Amino acid sequence: FLDDNTTYTATSYRDGADADPYAGWNSAAKANQTLLADSYSVNSQTVLQNKMKYGSGYAVFLTPADNGYEFYS
């Protein structure tokens, strides 16, 4: 779904190792959990992979690149 010949910045957000899948979304336990973020350069051929455990989350925000981020591998 990405344009060919265009490089993008992919900023990924995921739950940290201390994530509790049984904590309510607005609970104090959930508020104190770690959220990790990484940024990579990607293109239309890049496949992002992430190991997720039950109840965890993962999101990616894509924007046209204008940076020097490491290319995802």
Side-chain angles (χ1 to χ4, degrees), residues 13-64:
Y13 301 92
R14 65 190 184 285
D15 289 330
D18 60 352
D20 180 358
Y22 300 104
W25 68 272
N26 64 348
S27 70
K30 195 70 159 180
N32 293 324
Q33 294 176 17
T34 305
L35 179 65
L36 304 174
D38 293 305
S39 292
Y40 299 98
S41 292
V42 299
N43 61 28
S44 63
Q45 302 302 309
T46 306
V47 176
L48 298 175
Q49 297 182 4
N50 182 50
K51 292 183 179 181
M52 295 175 57
K53 64 182 183 179
Y54 172 81
S56 65
Y58 182 75
V60 179
F61 182 68
L62 294 165
T63 56

